[in-house]
């Protein structure tokens, strides 16, 4: 049985006054935001807005999986106690809303928990965005929402440490740090409730229709460790194509169990390299799915550097290494440049989003392809490849919408390995 967390909130600027609600559905296993909903509801009280947020959150969860187990978290003591059956519902405006909430799921599938307001920032921010939109005479737009990012910032989420692509080591991030730049994109669209807010905008800006439908979601699994991984050696597609180590096989078994518990994967696609195929078949066997191969998902060919550490390359070919670090268009001797890999991965992405539109597919691949998909989704510069950590058997996720926008939903999750 899938497990969801629903966080909901509502607010009124005047009580009664202009009011709105916000709610978010979270995958209890991965922490991934699955759906957001927010709406300006006109003049109402705080309690009515909170109940409407609850109803919207439960309906969004039901839309995802009516058989799921749902744990509701709200900072409204009144709503939590009334829905738990410990307090009576006396107010005539709230009775029908409470009854509507109770009808969405059987009571055996829903539990309630009160949380302090500071732990309900995501839903609170959505409610305020809805009220702000109402004040402007507009509807809340998921494409313009920053609620998830604001909530994470408020929780002081730790930033991922830097690390170079491939299994090659350290030093590259430090060498490229001076080249780092940042880019932000914001624009507007319209919708009352939709999948989680998108993180990247196409060059023409946002022009989202009211209903984009379900996105194609890529759950990105890096293969498990090989004997080269702990030594941080360049391990691409031009070397010996190593198999998983014993430690790597254990990592993959844990990843397979976590993905099976998640229950959302509908297809499995793998890089043709041995370490990915071994990883993919282990997961697919647990899910009861076949494995499809995609050539575009193979790792960078590191040419003459295959099997070497970063330090060994720096000692043997310092000028070539410096040139490679300075430009994504420069390839290792006999290998591929990151610019070439980007074109290959982009073409694979386009094929796969077309094939798996509206579905959730597991892509089993390597460091550079995963970082490239994340980088492109964010609209980040090429040097950002050196500023993301991506552990063996880690899980990341990117969603692709029908209008061409993308949303990075998860990066380097290793909770299943602990």
């Amino acid at each position: 049985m899938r497990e969801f967390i629903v966080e909901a909130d509502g607010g009124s600027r005047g009580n009664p006054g202009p009011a709105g609600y916000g709610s978010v559905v979270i995958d209890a296993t991965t922490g991934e935001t699955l759906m957001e909903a927010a709406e300006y509801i006109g003049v109402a009280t705080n309690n009515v807005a909170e109940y409407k947020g609850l109803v919207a959150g439960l309906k969004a969860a039901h839309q995802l999986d009516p058989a799921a187990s749902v744990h509701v978290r709200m900072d409204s003591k009144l709503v939590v106690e009334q829905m738990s059956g410990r307090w009576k519902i006396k107010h005539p405006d709230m009775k029908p809303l409470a009854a509507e909430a109770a009808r969405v799921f059987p009571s055996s599938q829903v539990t309630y928990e009160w949380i302090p307001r500071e732990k309900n920032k995501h839903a609170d921010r959505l409610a305020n965005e809805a009220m702000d939109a109402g004040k402007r005479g507009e509807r809340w737009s998921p494409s313009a929402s920053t609620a998830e990012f604001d909530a994470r910032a408020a929780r002081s989420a730790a930033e991922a440490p830097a690390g170079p692509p491939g299994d090659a080591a350290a030093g590259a991030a430090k060498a490229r740090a001076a080249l780092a730049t940042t880019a932000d994109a914001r624009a507007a669209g319209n919708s009352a409730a939709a999948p989680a807010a998108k993180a990247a905008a196409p060059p023409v800006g946002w022009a989202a229709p009211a209903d984009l439908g379900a996105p194609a979601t890529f759950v990105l699994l890096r293969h498990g460790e090989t004997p080269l991984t702990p030594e941080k050696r360049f391990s691409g597609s031009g070397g010996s194509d190593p198999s998983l180590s014993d430690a790597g096989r254990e990592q993959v078994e844990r990843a397979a169990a976590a993905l099976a518990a998640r229950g959302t994967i509908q297809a499995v696609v793998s890089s043709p390299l041995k370490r990915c195929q071994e990883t993919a078949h282990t997961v697919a066997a647990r899910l009861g799915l076949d494995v499809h191969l995609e050539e575009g998902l193979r790792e960078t060919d590191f040419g003459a550097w295959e099997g070497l550490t970063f330090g060994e390359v720096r000692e043997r070919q310092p000028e070539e290494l410096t040139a490679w670090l300075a430009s994504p268009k420069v390839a290792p001797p006999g290998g591929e440049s990151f610019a070439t890999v980007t074109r290959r991965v982009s073409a694979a992405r386009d094929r796969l989003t077309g094939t798996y539109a509206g579905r959730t597919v597991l892509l089993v691949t390597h460091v550079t392809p995963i970082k490239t998909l994340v980088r492109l989704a964010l609209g980040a510069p090429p040097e950002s490849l050196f500023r993301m950590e991506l552990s063996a058997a880690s899980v990341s996720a990117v969603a692709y919408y029908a209008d061409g926008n993308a949303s990075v939903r998860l990066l380097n999750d290793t909770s299943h390995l602990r």
Side-chain angles (χ1 to χ4, degrees), residues 45-46 49 108 196 227 281 316 357 403:
T45 65
N46 281 327
S108 60
H281 281 289
R316 299 178 191 185
D403 64 349

Side-chain angles (χ1 to χ4, degrees), residues 242-374:
S243 298
L244 299 179
S245 63
D246 289 342
R249 293 186 187 95
E250 173 62 25
Q251 291 171 336
V252 170
E253 289 289 350
R254 294 189 180 193
L259 290 166
R262 177 192 184 112
T264 59
I265 304 299
Q266 297 168 286
V268 178
V269 179
S270 174
S271 156
L273 298 185
K274 190 185 304 179
R275 53 199 184 271
C276 282
Q277 286 205 53
E278 189 175 348
T279 299
H281 281 289
T282 299
V283 177
R286 183 72 71 97
L287 300 176
L289 297 171
D290 295 327
V291 175
H292 305 278
L293 300 184
E294 168 55 60
E295 180 68 20
L297 295 179
R298 61 182 172 81
E299 181 58 286
T300 306
D301 183 346
F302 291 110
W305 299 349
E306 293 279 355
L308 301 179
T309 66
F310 187 86
E312 289 169 343
V313 173
R314 183 170 50 198
E315 181 179 343
R316 299 178 191 185
Q317 297 184 326
E319 293 182 2
E320 291 85 348
L321 180 63
T322 298
W324 178 71
L325 291 170
S327 172
K329 297 181 180 180
V330 174
E336 284 182 298
S337 69
F338 286 142
T340 298
V341 175
T342 298
R343 288 192 292 271
R344 168 162 57 79
V345 170
S346 296
R349 174 202 61 195
D350 294 344
R351 286 192 296 272
L352 293 169
T353 53
T355 301
Y356 296 102
R359 302 173 69 192
T360 298
V361 55
L362 178 70
L363 304 190
V364 182
T365 180
H366 311 263
V367 169
T368 311
I370 293 174
K371 288 186 176 183
T372 298
L373 289 168
V374 170

Side-chain angles (χ1 to χ4, degrees), residues 7-13 17-24 35-57 59-60 97 100 122-142 145 147 190-194:
E7 294 178 349
D9 200 8
S12 172
R13 294 170 180 172
Y21 68 75
S23 53
V24 56
M35 292 282 283
E36 290 177 327
E39 187 177 6
Y40 173 70
I41 59 174
V43 176
T45 65
N46 281 327
N47 292 335
V48 166
E50 288 164 343
Y51 261 109
K52 283 186 173 288
L54 170 63
V55 170
K59 287 183 175 180
L97 290 170
E100 183 179 4
H122 193 163
D124 174 75
R125 180 58 185 155
L126 286 168
N128 278 282
E129 285 184 348
M131 286 185 278
D132 290 341
K135 185 177 181 180
R136 298 190 301 268
E138 302 171 357
R139 296 181 69 187
W140 173 80
S141 165
S145 174
N190 61 73
S191 176

Side-chain angles (χ1 to χ4, degrees), residues 91-106:
H91 198 285
D93 290 343
M94 287 184 281
K95 284 184 177 181
L97 290 170
E100 183 179 4
R103 288 193 299 267
V104 179
F105 283 96

